Amino acid sequence: MKFLRASIYVKYENLENYMYERVLYEEIDKKAIVLTESAYHRRRYIATIDDEEYKRFDIFLFLHDWRINKEDCDDIVKLSAEILGIKEYKKYEIKEYSFTELYETDDGDFSCNRLIEKARVEELMAFLKPHSKFFYDWVVEQPLTKKENFALCEGTIHSENLKDELNRIYQCSKQENDINNGVPVHYILEGNNKADYQYSLEALLSSLADSNRIDPHIFKFNFDKIDTERNTPINHYSYSRFLDLLNANLGATLCGNTIVVQYGLHDNENSFSNDSYSAFTKFIEAIKPYMEHTPVIFSIPEGNSNLAKRIKKLIGLPTAVIKINDVYNAIDKSFDENFEYLKTLAKKRGLVPDRKLKEMLSESLEDQSVTEIDTVLDNWACESRITKQFPQYTTELKSQLAIKGMHEPCAMEKLNSLIGLNEIKTQIKEILARFKMNEKCKRNGLPVQNFSMHMAFLGNPGTGKTEVARLFGQILKEANVLSEGRVISVSGPSFPCKVDELFEKCKGSVLFIDEAYELFMRDEVVASLIANMEDHRDEVVCIFAGYTGRMNRLFDSNIGFRSRLGFILKFPDYSQDELLDIYKLMLNNANLKITDEALSEARDILWRGGKRIDKGNGRFVRKYFEDCLGRQQVRLSKLNKNKYTNDELTTICLSDVKANKQKDISATEKLNKLIGLNDVKEHVRKRINYMKMQKLRRDRGIKSDFVPMNMAFTGNPGTGKTEVARHIGKILAEEGVLSVGDFIECHPGDLCGPEDVDYTFQNARGSVLFIDEAYTLANLHPTVLGAFMKNMEDYREEVVVIFAGYTKEINNLLKSNPGFKSRINTTIFFKDYSIDELIEIAEFICKEKYYKINKIAKNKIIEILKTATKKTDFGNARFVRNLIDTAIVNQSDRLMKVDKSLSDVELQKLKACDFEIDSAQNEKINEFDKKPYGFTVAA
């Protein structure tokens, strides 16, 4: 089966008898389908030959029989021109096309669809566009010469075994090599990806074509891409439709051409992909009857000898295996063996080994600095060339040798020097151990257990994910896993839509995707990303970074995501000691020292119980370090000195580590000014004193176990629970117990899943998490409730959790759930306000709103309160606020009925009559709103 374009050059006067309409002349002598160009393109392609103008006229031939030779084509072209009325033409040239070229260049000269329909090869047509990533074809137009093929072979990873096969190919006579005689042997070519075997395949195909062993029209089918492409938008056909295309008609159509089949990436002794395996075996079944005249080259992963045996058994025909060269391992050889190996390589380059080469080999083996022994030869050859031939450049050589002699820490040493991250370091060492074991297996001819290198880095900001990724790229380069080891960073929000182009740029490197969870709901991008992860798994390492909960949601969005991740590394938050060590390291790197009292204060600040979610861990330390430097510079500038001592410039003092606090009333003073709540204030005072004592013990170097500050606030609505909780966060921040001191309010109904719980606690780090109506936690799904318990434990030193609700319901919750009981060690009861306290609150609210109440109005309020407090749903301070608001409305209505100008006193006075309320207003006053209440003593 062939498709050709014959171009003949005709004078215009010889085209007079040619009709303008398109002419289709089918099956000339039953040998070919002929299609001519359309009349629309008759004025194209003017050529000048021997100073005369000629028109290029194209005739397209589709040949069913692959055995048709050049002479048959000549006859078909001549007969076609004669039928079309073209009697004379100057010359003609013929070119064979691939179906991929045919489809891509279908622009009106001929109808690709019509041609394939007439040729009855719909299977190939169906493969062309929707399955272009599974299938494509090309034509070896001009094979390389024997010398060129051997030269191309020399630089490949198969050179040793491939050279032997090329010798066998060229040893056969031209007659023996004629494809009409049949295919003597098929091939299995080892290689994990196209980059591994591309040039080897090119040399093999070119040699076979140069020796007339194969038809130069090559068809490639990549069955490894089936799993990654099935769910992508480009696949317009169902999988069952795809299998239907792999039929006997396809096998007959391919007969006589050359086929390359890539398979085995997901097929090893332990597992295989059912989809790709089913398609692969059905394809073999389709072409097997025609393999006597259809050479097939199977590309499989290296070291998979079991798969090679199964393919041989499946096709039942002689098959030659071309393996990757054995890797020379200098470490396992003696010094004499290595030196003999280097001498052989040197002689191949036309170099004469000397004593210097032996010395350089000895040095490299002694410090194990050489990963490939060829490097020793390269360095020796360079040094020898300059010393003997170009002595003028000896100075530059010595300078370079001095640089080589300096010890630069390797990436693994840099990783080990990072503070903390012990589990991460262990996991990376285990990954490298697997690589080294694969290398040993490869050298010993054992199966290689390939594994995915893509991974996820999960953890909060500032935990070292970006730094570890940068070092990991260098580690993989030093271990010869990646060719470049660069780290190309992109963020999830700005991740490009052209994923293919991005992966092309990242070859040999690490693609680090920060905030990767932002890819959620970008289905087409995710599908393309997964496909490229599979296609480039041996040359690009993808690292996805982000918060644990949100990342899990991304991985669950596509069924193929998690299976592409070889490793999931969880980055823990830094411990208190590690945060202090990071701070000391930053001081040391900046050549700074710190006084003992300043270090004690800095330790206390860094040891506070948490950080904001977006400024935590290492970032928190770096920002604090930079702030300390800034305060030191401001302090020194105020000295107004012309010259500073070295000690002054390099010392961090106590004032430098303390943040400048605004002069304002403290949170403790604000709490003490709240009306009533004397028992509550006493409980809070004791807890604060306890935390102060723990701080003092730490300052003295005494180990202090942390007792969580979690509490339960019980009592009726409007008794001040929310406002007290708000003040507690600020007090703990002022006293150095919490680092943020924010007030984060949450209702159990907002926690729909474990991810919501995780995010809520992360957002509350260093602050107070206030759970209103906490008794409804019992209604949560068990998985959500379990996540809540776990987070309370994980963040016990960073988040103060305060449960709030009715006394009976909260007590029942604590009794019914031992987990809550063990984590809530203090319960504070907020009793109802007394009548006197409520009157004081009323006066405070009026003053706050610029209103006044006289004695008569006050007595009216007392009368109302005495009745209201007897009800079970009394709202305490909330009732008072609603009562005042209602009185203000009534006052406004009363004054608007007065037909005279009003004084300032009248505008601000609330009378007893304003507190006369109807039933509708009374119902509104008793409604419980969600506003926090806490009332400062009126001045």
Side-chain angles (χ1 to χ4, degrees), residues 293-336:
H293 294 287
T294 308
V296 182
I297 301 173
F298 297 91
S299 169
I300 68 172
E302 63 173 304
N304 198 337
S305 57
N306 180 55
L307 176 59
K309 290 177 183 177
R310 285 191 283 125
I311 290 176
K312 289 182 178 182
K313 186 175 181 180
L314 192 63
I315 64 177
L317 296 168
T319 307
V321 179
I322 301 177
K323 295 184 177 182
I324 292 176
N325 300 339
D326 293 332
V327 178
Y328 184 86
N329 183 22
I331 304 298
D332 295 340
K333 302 288 192 303
S334 68
F335 177 84
D336 291 338

Side-chain angles (χ1 to χ4, degrees), residues 757 777-790 817 820:
V757 177
L777 286 168
N779 301 328
L780 295 178
H781 189 277
T783 58
V784 181
L785 189 59
F788 194 94
M789 297 283 195
K790 182 178 183 299
N817 195 314
F820 284 138

Side-chain angles (χ1 to χ4, degrees), residues 546-600:
Y547 304 120
T548 303
R550 296 185 181 184
M551 292 294 287
N552 285 329
R553 186 172 63 167
L554 170 66
F555 298 150
D556 293 337
S557 67
N558 188 299
I559 193 172
F561 220 137
R562 288 189 186 274
S563 62
R564 266 72 183 182
L565 296 175
F567 305 92
I568 296 180
L569 279 60
K570 296 181 179 180
F571 284 66
D573 293 328
Y574 288 106
S575 68
Q576 296 173 342
D577 290 334
E578 289 169 346
L579 290 174
L580 186 60
D581 288 341
I582 293 173
Y583 182 73
K584 290 179 180 178
L585 180 63
M586 290 179 177
L587 289 170
N588 184 63
N589 290 340
N591 295 318
L592 295 172
K593 55 189 176 183
I594 187 170
T595 64
D596 292 341
E597 58 180 357
L599 183 62
S600 176

